[in-house]
Amino acid sequence: MYQHSKNIVTAGIPAENAKSALVMIHGRGASAQSMVPLSSYLNTNDMAVFAPEASRHSWYPTSFIQPVEENQPALDSALEVISELVKDIIGSGIPAEQIYFLGFSQGACLTLEYVTRNAMKYGGVIAFTGGLIGKDLRMENYQGDFGQTTILMTTGDPDAHVPLKRVKESAAIMEKMNGRMHVIVYPAKQHTITNDEIDLANQLFFSAAVNL
């Protein structure tokens, strides 16, 4: 098992000059450097961008639907990295309601797990192919109120790594916690991020950033 160090790649404009921030969380086998270029396809010109880097290119060792214990202590360490990053962003003057999260695959699972354990009014949450973590979801882990935060979850049906049942189960939990859910299922979509998903994210979250 492994611990994660706080290794953050930044892009966009400096946090002290930004009114909002985008936290981008990469998937298994990827890196922060490979995740950041995705922001160029989003209307995020006025945002500070932060991409944390996982040790060994993986946030936790096994599938997200295995018992949580099999992914410890890596999972707790990953959640702590995100927590510290969010505290730093808020400390720089950007409030939680102007922080946006975007994750893909394993990064989408980590994104959803963090925000649902720490539910509050965020700018928005984008989970490209992911769900909450654990063989069985433990409701005592999930606390707070999303305050009608818009949450986008996209996935393929079927997907080789993320069962649709878990996507829907996760969305139902977040909706009960006052999340404004958008769950989009694409028939036979490959395990990747498509142009349609990027367009949808821009429409839901970043359209106001155009031409600022």
Side-chain angles (χ1 to χ4, degrees):
M1 296 294 184
Y2 45 87
Q3 299 282 331
H4 300 285
S5 58
K6 190 178 176 184
N7 182 12
I8 312 295
V9 174
T10 59
I13 65 175
E16 57 268 23
N17 298 330
K19 294 182 179 179
S20 57
L22 175 62
V23 176
M24 308 186 74
I25 305 180
H26 68 77
R28 190 189 301 273
S31 67
Q33 292 283 5
S34 69
M35 194 68 176
V36 164
L38 180 62
S39 66
S40 67
Y41 296 93
L42 301 167
N43 299 321
T44 57
N45 294 335
D46 63 335
M47 302 179 76
V49 177
F50 300 87
E53 174 89 51
S55 299
R56 307 182 190 178
H57 302 287
S58 180
W59 292 109
Y60 45 83
T62 67
S63 167
F64 84 110
I65 52 175
Q66 293 301 310
V68 167
E69 293 75 17
E70 295 185 16
N71 281 314
Q72 296 292 19
L75 175 58
D76 280 350
S77 178
L79 290 166
E80 182 59 28
V81 167
I82 307 305
S83 178
E84 290 185 10
L85 174 57
V86 170
K87 289 176 184 176
D88 288 347
I89 293 171
I90 292 173
S92 74
I94 297 173
E97 57 264 30
Q98 290 298 326
I99 299 176
Y100 296 78
F101 296 86
L102 184 155
F104 169 64
S105 191
Q106 192 188 59
C109 297
L110 183 60
T111 295
L112 293 171
E113 190 70 17
Y114 172 79
V115 298
T116 310
R117 289 185 182 215
N118 302 274
M120 63 181 72
K121 176 64 173 175
Y122 294 112
V125 179
I126 303 164
F128 291 137
T129 315
L132 292 171
I133 296 172
K135 181 179 180 181
D136 300 302
L137 298 181
R138 300 172 182 173
M139 295 304 300
E140 65 270 19
N141 287 336
Y142 307 126
Q143 300 179 16
D145 187 313
F146 281 114
Q148 285 292 289
T149 298
T150 298
I151 301 170
L152 171 64
M153 299 177 69
T154 64
T155 194
D157 181 28
D159 182 87
H161 305 285
V162 179
L164 179 58
K165 178 182 177 182
R166 175 53 57 90
V167 173
K168 292 182 175 179
E169 187 180 15
S170 303
I173 289 171
M174 288 181 280
E175 187 169 41
K176 287 181 181 178
M177 296 172 68
N178 204 17
R180 183 183 297 163
M181 305 306 302
H182 295 261
V183 181
I184 309 298
V185 181
Y186 297 92
K189 183 179 81 72
Q190 293 186 349
H191 193 77
T192 186
I193 302 172
T194 65
N195 289 335
D196 190 76
E197 289 169 288
I198 294 293
D199 290 345
L200 185 57
N202 273 322
Q203 291 167 20
L204 283 175
F205 301 100
F206 306 120
S207 60
V210 179
N211 299 324
L212 288 183

